[in-house]
Amino acid sequence: MNTFQPGQTVWLEIAGERCEIKDLVGSGGQGQVYHTIVNGQDCAMKWYFPHSATSRQRAALERLIHKGPPNDRFLWPLDIAVCQGHASFGYLMPLR
């Protein structure tokens, strides 16, 4: 089952921007990946299933976001995504 439907939005904590869900790209053991739009730009968002959305995982993501990618070949986390009514979280990354 998809956590989000096309047209729903999540909030990016660092940028303070809305992120619109376009469609589901794929799903795995940790969560789901969605094609999203932020300020007219295509992006991807990984949304963790509740069992993977730990405080330790979130802290690791925050460290990576602040550190920045070593180069442009990495699909590096750019921002933390949250949604009211959802206990979980996700992160924004480039869409490839």
Side-chain angles (χ1 to χ4, degrees):
M1 181 175 161
N2 294 356
T3 303
F4 297 104
Q5 298 301 315
Q8 282 186 278
T9 60
V10 297
W11 186 256
L12 300 177
E13 287 191 336
I14 296 168
E17 299 283 342
R18 286 177 5 142
C19 176
E20 181 184 349
I21 306 298
K22 297 308 276 182
D23 55 17
L24 180 68
V25 174
S27 186
Q30 285 188 322
Q32 298 175 321
V33 176
Y34 292 88
H35 172 204
T36 63
I37 301 289
V38 179
N39 290 327
Q41 297 277 44
D42 289 304
C43 296
M45 179 192 70
K46 179 171 185 173
W47 189 264
Y48 288 103
F49 294 133
H51 71 272
S52 296
T54 64
S55 58
R56 186 174 182 195
Q57 181 65 40
R58 185 179 172 114
L61 285 170
E62 289 171 350
R63 282 191 302 275
L64 290 173
I65 290 165
H66 291 293
K67 180 179 180 181
N71 60 53
D72 63 356
R73 294 184 310 196
F74 287 82
L75 290 177
W76 206 262
L78 304 171
D79 208 326
I80 299 288
V82 294
C83 185
Q84 189 172 8
H86 291 268
S88 194
F89 60 88
Y91 66 89
L92 190 73
M93 63 184 157
L95 179 67
R96 292 217 178 120

